[in-house]
Amino acid sequence: MNKPQSAHTLPSHDMQVMLAQHTLFARGHAGKRLEMRLQNLSGIKLNNFDLSQCLLLACNLSYTDLEGCSFQAANLSNSLFIGANLKHCDFTRADLRGTRFYKSDLQQAKMTGSDMRVGSITLNSGGVAKQREFTTDLSFCNMEEATLQDAVLHNVRLRGVNMRNADLSGADLSGADMQGVVLLGAQMERAKFTGANIKNAVFTVNDETRRLFAGNPAFEEHLANLKETDRIVAAHEEWVNSGGRAGARADFAGMALRGVDLRGRELSAVSFRGADLTGAKLAHARLAAADFNGATLAYAELSNADLRGAGMENARLLHTIVDGADFGDLELRGGGKLAIRFAGASIEWTNFSECVITSGQLSGAVLRECRMPEEP
């Protein structure tokens, strides 16, 4: 397997000639379709190019920069895309059987009507024909806002894929491995999930998901976990309101709470230490002095939450919504203040400009692509 290259490379002279011929072909003029088999094309940079109807069979396209390219009706079966930049690419009606997209960026890619069933390739070895089968693998890809209308995704591997706000209308995901997939905001009208593995998937429980996932063991387990979580939170609220004389303090340390809906709940001093709160809804919740040390808050909603004095050490925030949240100091009854702590936290693509926080309060955190409020 090729390792990531330090810089992308331009196509070779011979390939540039073939691309020019393919451009003429794609436009309906005299030219020649681009056809390549079992070629190593890793690391090339080719943006906004029309590769519609091309044939790239079982090619290695890892670590390529192909942003904006069109692969409409192309045959890319059994090809390999590891760590590729495929933002805004158009794979409409493409043959993607057996294609693997491991850890590639497919933001706003279009895959309408594409075929992602198991693919196969016949190799000749010593005069003997051997057939190998490949399952399409999109594991850990970023497919936020991608379009997969009516795509055939039988048995596809989709582990850990971010499909937030993606269009899955009419897509057939029967038998797909969707462990840990994020489906928040996804359009799923007419989609099929028969036999799909949705363990630890993040989605909103509503009438649509109840219908789509009815009878799925992982969905039934998720509903049972939500019911138990609600019971624990109710006991915690009683503990807070009674000053500790009744109920019980909640402890969710190390627990999987992906997609849990705790909006507006009383969660002061709760331990979420090491918990997985991916996609959790915590808007307007009271989380003063809560412990999020080592917790995962990717895609979580903390809008208008009271986070005064919370412990965020070593937490992971990714695309976390914090509009209106209060990260200020917590006044203690016996005097003094408890400050919020972010030491060792990893924070990416989070907008702090509309909440109560200062850059000093984020001291010790590693920030990437974050927006801070204007200093007075």
Side-chain angles (χ1 to χ4, degrees):
M1 184 180 296
N2 290 337
K3 294 181 180 180
Q5 301 184 10
S6 58
H8 293 102
T9 58
L10 295 175
S12 66
H13 174 72
D14 289 344
M15 188 172 181
Q16 289 183 38
V17 173
M18 289 188 286
L19 289 170
Q21 288 292 310
H22 183 81
T23 297
L24 294 173
F25 168 82
R27 293 176 180 173
H29 304 307
K32 185 178 180 181
R33 179 188 185 189
L34 177 65
E35 296 186 6
M36 304 183 80
R37 295 172 174 82
L38 298 167
Q39 295 297 307
N40 183 5
L41 304 173
S42 60
I44 64 169
K45 179 180 176 66
L46 194 68
N47 297 146
N48 302 308
F49 206 87
D50 187 356
L51 293 167
S52 56
Q53 301 181 63
C54 73
L55 186 149
L56 297 174
L57 178 63
C59 291
N60 182 4
L61 291 145
S62 299
Y63 310 113
T64 50
D65 183 353
L66 300 171
E67 184 170 344
C69 285
S70 173
F71 292 97
Q72 287 191 30
N75 186 346
L76 303 169
S77 57
N78 302 304
S79 287
L80 177 63
F81 294 86
I82 298 176
N85 177 12
L86 302 171
K87 293 179 181 177
H88 308 288
C89 283
D90 189 347
F91 294 96
T92 300
R93 302 185 308 281
D95 185 346
L96 301 171
R97 289 174 296 172
T99 305
R100 287 153 289 168
F101 291 95
Y102 190 76
K103 289 189 176 179
S104 293
D105 194 339
L106 285 151
Q107 280 192 75
Q108 298 184 16
K110 295 180 181 178
M111 293 184 165
T112 302
S114 59
D115 188 348
M116 299 186 192
R117 292 172 294 171
V118 172
S120 63
I121 184 171
T122 301
L123 302 173
N124 289 313
S125 177
V128 179
K130 297 181 179 179
Q131 188 174 68
R132 293 182 61 191
E133 287 193 344
F134 297 95
T135 298
T136 302
D137 193 344
L138 290 156
S139 298
F140 306 106
C141 286
N142 181 4
M143 301 187 74
E144 186 166 345
E145 298 183 9
T147 302
L148 294 101
Q149 288 182 354
D150 302 312
V152 180
L153 296 138
H154 293 172
N155 303 311
V156 171
R157 291 193 182 101
L158 292 161
R159 288 194 177 196
V161 172
N162 172 23
M163 286 186 162
R164 194 170 63 158
N165 299 320
D167 189 349
L168 297 169
S169 303
D172 190 344
L173 294 116
S174 300
D177 184 353
M178 302 178 68
Q179 292 189 65
V181 68
V182 177
L183 291 167
L184 296 172
Q187 299 178 46
M188 298 185 284
E189 298 85 355
R190 300 178 293 104
K192 298 178 182 177
F193 295 92
T194 306
N197 182 355
I198 58 169
K199 186 176 180 62
N200 292 324
V202 181
F203 49 82
T204 300
V205 175
N206 52 30
D207 290 343
E208 181 180 55
T209 52
R210 289 179 185 278
R211 176 181 57 80
L212 291 171
F213 301 134
N216 188 300
F219 182 66
E220 299 303 325
E221 180 182 355
H222 180 67
L223 292 180
N225 289 340
L226 292 180
K227 186 175 181 179
E228 176 62 11
T229 299
D230 185 69
R231 184 194 66 77
I232 295 172
V233 171
H236 179 82
E237 290 174 324
E238 185 179 6
W239 177 78
V240 172
N241 294 331
S242 67
R245 292 184 296 274
R249 181 181 178 183
D251 186 350
F252 293 112
M255 293 182 62
L257 299 169
R258 297 167 67 90
V260 68
D261 189 346
L262 297 173
R263 286 175 289 185
R265 304 296 293 269
E266 172 56 77
L267 300 165
S268 298
V270 168
S271 174
F272 293 106
R273 196 178 186 87
D276 186 352
L277 289 152
T278 300
K281 293 179 172 61
L282 298 165
H284 297 278
R286 181 170 169 78
L287 292 156
D291 183 2
F292 291 97
N293 193 324
T296 298
L297 288 157
Y299 310 107
E301 297 179 17
L302 293 165
S303 304
N304 300 297
D306 180 359
L307 287 152
R308 291 172 301 154
M312 291 280 185
E313 298 97 328
N314 305 303
R316 182 179 181 236
L317 284 72
L318 173 67
H319 290 287
T320 307
I321 302 171
V322 295
D323 296 353
D326 187 350
F327 292 98
D329 295 339
L330 178 65
E331 299 282 348
L332 300 177
R333 290 181 180 176
K337 297 178 180 180
L338 180 62
I340 193 159
R341 288 90 63 205
F342 277 100
S346 173
I347 308 175
E348 301 178 69
W349 299 98
T350 297
N351 183 2
F352 290 100
S353 65
E354 300 297 327
C355 63
V356 180
I357 197 169
T358 65
S359 56
Q361 289 172 307
L362 289 164
S363 177
V366 178
L367 304 178
R368 178 174 176 268
E369 301 295 337
C370 294
R371 187 176 174 186
M372 297 299 300
E374 294 184 6
E375 297 289 347

